[in-house]
Amino acid sequence: MKLKFVFKIVWRCQGLLFALWLGAALFGVLPAVAQQGEDPSPGQRSSPIPNVDEADPPPDEAVETMLPHLKDTRFWLSGQMNFIFQTHPPFDALYSGPHSLSPHYDKATSRVLTLYTGVRLNDSTELLADVEEAGGAALSEGFGLAGNTDLDIVRNPSLSKAPYLARGMIHKVFALSKDKIENGRTALSLFDELPRRRLEVRFGKFSMPDFFDINSVGSDTHFQFTNWTIDNNGAWDYAADTRGYTVGVTADYEDRNWGFRFGEGLMPKVANGIDLVWKVWQAHAENYEYELRRGFIPGKAGVVRLLAYTNYANMGIYSQAIANYEAHLTPVPDITAHPWHITRKYGFGVNVEQNLTRYLTAFGRFRME
């Protein structure tokens, strides 16, 4: 378990977010930009910019931990707790409905407790399993904001508060070159080193943002931001149940300066539902991402990630819902008032980050659907 104390100053300008991370020197911690967290948050994973500028090396300081970290072991056991408290004062609203952000004073605290476990069977195969408990509350039960201010909330308060299996997967690495590179061990990859050119295949239960749309500055609610559309591409409707997980397979090809990954996942029976459709030939989702590890500024590290996705699921069509209402077939426009019907949805996104100085990184996400 790791403790960090980080002050953050954020400037947002026309879709581009500038994050200035100032390490609190009196606590002796590393800046978040230069450090990869060992314990990813639920459905999130931080990925530092590779090939850090040699002119601005990160500080060589050790992160304080409550328990010793064993380096020479094939096992992984760690835990993490994330509590987020939010509140807002009363404000004027011209309209308020049951799914609006309440204009009255409100407060809420969410919690996510995760136990990460794993075992490395050999130099190319490992088993990973995480148990999680999520609960608490959200402002207005999570309604009323397209970019919700708390990514950790569970948008269905009627779900059981009992612990559940968040992730359970097999991770296999196929070496495509003999030379090795050092790999920072995390709860999602226990290997100390990996082939420079390789194919990584994962199968089981996981969250798509574990491996797609990752950003070293904004992807992890435990160490970074909490807003849904800062830590994720807001238009990326990835396959997931109510808690943010799916069952599927990913394939990730990595080369020296670029990579390409593909993911196939199961879709829920209804939007934001907890039950998945196991007939993959009917409902399924494909995700594609190309990653180029090259900066826009000479001598400074950077990454560009191009994302595309396609979902096939039992989804309604807004224009048809409005037409049914106007024809007096439904009392109000109802997007769920339709027979079982597979509809396609697709979208695209761009995820960029650029080191500016030792402590300053610019990043941004742009989307279209």
Side-chain angles (χ1 to χ4, degrees):
M1 189 180 301
K2 181 185 302 181
L3 296 179
K4 285 189 176 181
F5 298 86
V6 180
F7 293 101
K8 296 180 288 189
I9 301 176
V10 184
W11 174 35
R12 181 170 183 175
C13 180
Q14 296 186 9
L16 187 64
L17 295 170
F18 288 91
L20 178 62
W21 298 77
L22 300 179
L26 69 162
F27 293 111
V29 300
L30 288 175
V33 165
Q35 173 73 25
Q36 178 178 2
E38 292 186 0
D39 296 323
S41 65
Q44 305 296 322
R45 182 170 68 102
S46 296
S47 176
I49 297 179
N51 305 323
V52 176
D53 185 4
E54 294 181 358
D56 295 323
D60 186 17
E61 301 178 21
V63 176
E64 296 295 330
T65 61
M66 296 181 64
L67 299 174
H69 287 189
L70 303 178
K71 298 294 184 181
D72 301 325
T73 177
R74 59 192 181 97
F75 298 99
W76 181 282
L77 179 63
S78 67
Q80 198 163 28
M81 298 179 291
N82 206 34
F83 296 88
I84 298 177
F85 170 80
Q86 294 183 334
T87 184
H88 70 75
F91 60 88
D92 294 330
L94 298 178
Y95 168 83
S96 291
H99 289 170
S100 301
L101 180 69
S102 172
H104 307 294
Y105 167 78
D106 195 8
K107 61 182 179 179
T109 302
S110 66
R111 71 175 184 274
V112 177
L113 315 178
T114 311
L115 177 66
Y116 302 96
T117 68
V119 56
R120 189 176 65 240
L121 303 180
N122 51 48
D123 291 339
S124 64
T125 308
E126 62 186 4
L127 303 177
L128 306 171
D130 303 341
V131 178
E132 192 171 86
E133 190 273 339
L139 296 174
S140 300
E141 296 186 351
F143 294 120
L145 294 174
N148 198 283
T149 57
D150 187 353
L151 183 55
D152 282 357
I153 62 171
V154 178
R155 302 188 71 179
N156 185 349
S158 65
L159 286 180
S160 170
K161 300 299 187 294
Y164 54 90
L165 179 68
R167 300 178 183 87
M169 72 186 89
I170 301 173
H171 180 201
K172 177 69 176 179
V173 178
F174 298 92
L176 302 178
S177 66
K178 294 183 179 180
D179 55 328
K180 304 281 188 177
I181 59 173
E182 184 178 354
N183 178 55
R185 281 164 51 94
T186 72
L188 295 178
S189 180
L190 312 185
F191 301 111
D192 296 308
E193 58 180 15
L194 291 169
R196 183 177 298 276
R197 204 157 53 89
R198 63 192 183 276
L199 176 65
E200 298 187 48
V201 177
R202 287 177 165 87
F203 174 76
K205 185 179 182 182
F206 53 84
S207 180
M208 282 296 176
D210 286 339
F211 313 112
F212 293 82
D213 194 37
I214 298 169
N215 192 295
S216 67
V217 185
S219 283
D220 190 343
T221 59
H222 285 75
F223 300 118
Q224 298 165 339
F225 302 96
T226 63
N227 189 287
W228 195 313
T229 53
I230 295 179
D231 283 341
N232 285 155
N233 185 321
W236 179 30
D237 191 8
Y238 56 86
D241 61 15
T242 311
R243 295 188 172 104
Y245 299 97
T246 186
V247 174
V249 60
T250 67
D252 185 357
Y253 173 80
E254 293 295 331
D255 210 321
R256 182 178 298 271
N257 295 316
W258 65 279
F260 180 81
R261 55 194 64 95
F262 168 78
E264 182 84 22
L266 300 182
M267 294 290 291
K269 293 182 178 179
V270 296
N272 198 39
I274 193 63
D275 297 319
L276 300 175
V277 178
W278 291 92
K279 297 179 180 180
V280 67
W281 58 91
Q282 292 185 354
H284 51 88
E286 290 78 42
N287 296 262
Y288 313 85
E289 188 174 54
Y290 172 74
E291 177 177 305
L292 178 63
R293 295 181 281 271
R294 182 175 300 174
F296 297 98
I297 303 175
K300 298 290 185 180
V303 185
V304 178
R305 302 177 180 90
L306 305 178
L307 175 71
Y309 74 91
T310 304
N311 294 341
Y312 294 87
N314 179 33
M315 300 180 290
I317 301 175
Y318 286 104
S319 59
Q320 186 61 51
I322 295 174
N324 290 343
Y325 165 71
E326 293 176 342
H328 305 289
L329 299 178
T330 57
V332 295
D334 187 356
I335 193 65
T336 64
H338 61 84
W340 177 270
H341 177 70
I342 300 299
T343 305
R344 184 182 68 171
K345 180 180 180 180
Y346 60 89
F348 307 92
V350 181
N351 177 345
V352 298
E353 52 184 306
Q354 173 67 57
N355 277 355
L356 302 179
T357 68
R358 183 177 179 180
Y359 296 105
L360 182 63
T361 295
F363 80 102
R365 285 185 170 91
F366 310 89
R367 52 264 189 176
M368 179 178 64
E369 66 174 352

